[in-house]
Amino acid sequence: MSSAARAARRPAAAAREARRAVLAVLLLAPAACAAGPGCVAGREDRVPLTLAAGLPLVPARINGRPVQLVLDTGASGLALTPTGAARLRLPVRPDGFQVAPGAGGAGVVPGVSVALLEFGGLRLDNLSAPVVPSPVLDGLDGGGASGVLGGDALAGAEIELDLPARRATTFRGEACRAAAPAWDGASEGLPTWRAADQRLGVRLRVNGVELPAILDTGASRSLISGRAASRLGPEAAALPGATSEVRGFGPQVRRAELRRFREVQLGREVLRDVPLLVLDDLPEEAELVLGADLLATRRLWVSYATGRVFVQPAAAPLPGSG
């Protein structure tokens, strides 16, 4: 679920590219304009989302059955919980997936085959997904979430996440790939980078130091690596006695120290006196994870196809922002 625990897929690169090509072909023609000129989204592309414990839940269908999934911009692909796989009556294979080390644990986990995944206007077939126990997802309101929907499944689309308005929209086509979002008010493109598993990251500044970061809607709290916190020195003030549990998409629980950082710069927007949890061994190429605590009041446009990310600041300034 959070960026601290990712499922690495084993299908060959050629198979992954084939799935992405199928996705690009099968996106349906739209009808209502919501982005740049010529970039439109149909009714089926607009998906309501709800926030449960700060995590964005979206409706989807797996093999024709309705499910709730966490829309997780920090995850590398589709992953299901054992409860979710049982609800869907998917036969679980004992062999399968190596789960990357993270807050939720690591190791080889079972997998399932998914014949068809539908989300908004996206249709993806012949997917494989790891099955990972997740007390966090099972405990969410409304019966829990069946899993997470991450980057690999969204690779052929432009995704607009309007978290304040509680909706997600999928866009498609060359016009959308060339467009900037047509939002009212200021928005900004952020410098980006690609992780080894093709997750899309951005570059931010903490206390004036540039750090590679992941925008992670599947993490309820924002994290910084112990390595980065050490480099930033004594300016990062530890809050006395302040620690918190960190849970990922898995059963393991870790504790992290809470420190307050002078500023986090998100494009031109500067957040001041920002509390971040310091995880000694943040197992990412990223040194910073921007979670739902800082993203829930912002609008995001994430293009996995072109490697672009736009962000719009909160309509009302957050406490401590400048």
Side-chain angles (χ1 to χ4, degrees):
M1 159 190 142
S2 79
S3 65
R6 304 300 164 209
R9 296 180 175 231
R10 286 189 174 177
R16 182 181 291 111
E17 293 303 318
R19 290 201 303 272
R20 290 175 180 168
V22 169
L23 180 148
V25 170
L26 292 182
L27 289 178
L28 300 180
C33 187
C39 180
V40 292
R43 181 181 304 172
E44 73 281 357
D45 296 309
R46 295 188 291 274
V47 179
L49 66 82
T50 57
L51 292 181
L55 303 177
L57 289 178
V58 293
R61 300 181 75 85
I62 290 180
N63 295 352
R65 295 178 178 270
V67 294
Q68 290 284 315
L69 300 173
V70 172
L71 186 55
D72 188 349
T73 58
S76 58
L78 176 68
L80 298 175
T81 66
T83 303
R87 284 183 190 143
L88 294 164
R89 301 177 185 174
L90 297 175
V92 176
R93 303 192 312 268
D95 62 325
F97 292 84
Q98 176 69 43
V99 176
V108 178
V109 299
V112 294
S113 296
V114 172
L116 178 64
L117 168 67
E118 301 169 88
F119 168 65
L122 309 185
R123 309 286 189 273
L124 286 169
D125 56 11
N126 298 324
L127 301 178
S128 296
V131 177
V132 184
S134 178
V136 173
L137 266 61
D138 288 340
L140 293 178
D141 294 340
S146 294
V148 299
L149 182 62
D152 196 27
L154 305 173
E158 325 293 305
I159 307 295
E160 180 192 50
L161 281 176
D162 193 338
L163 297 174
R166 305 292 192 266
R167 70 170 175 265
T169 307
T170 58
F171 294 90
R172 57 97 184 163
E174 292 302 320
C176 295
R177 294 183 182 186
W183 294 335
D184 293 332
S187 63
E188 184 175 5
L190 300 178
T192 61
W193 58 279
R194 289 275 189 185
D197 59 6
Q198 296 303 303
R199 283 178 300 126
L200 190 57
V202 299
R203 298 191 183 278
L204 308 178
R205 289 186 177 274
V206 179
N207 291 2
V209 177
E210 184 178 280
L211 296 176
I214 292 287
L215 300 180
D216 190 353
T217 56
S220 59
R221 296 291 300 272
S222 296
L223 307 168
I224 190 168
S225 72
R227 301 179 297 272
S230 296
R231 290 206 308 273
L232 294 172
E235 281 191 271
L239 301 180
T243 62
S244 178
E245 289 185 348
V246 178
R247 297 174 181 268
F249 184 35
Q252 185 176 338
V253 179
R254 301 171 67 181
R255 297 203 68 82
E257 180 186 48
L258 186 64
R259 297 188 193 177
R260 191 176 299 280
F261 292 79
R262 173 170 47 84
E263 65 180 34
V264 174
Q265 187 172 350
L266 185 62
R268 288 187 295 269
E269 184 183 15
V270 179
L271 311 179
R272 303 197 186 280
D273 297 323
V274 179
L276 299 173
L277 289 170
V278 179
L279 201 61
D280 286 335
D281 183 24
L282 190 62
E284 303 285 353
E285 295 153 279
E287 301 281 17
L288 181 68
V289 172
L290 224 58
D293 54 340
L294 295 180
L295 297 177
T297 55
R298 285 165 173 75
R299 211 175 187 184
L300 302 174
W301 175 287
V302 182
S303 173
Y304 291 94
T306 63
R308 299 184 306 155
V309 172
F310 292 87
V311 63
Q312 186 173 60
L318 291 177
S321 63

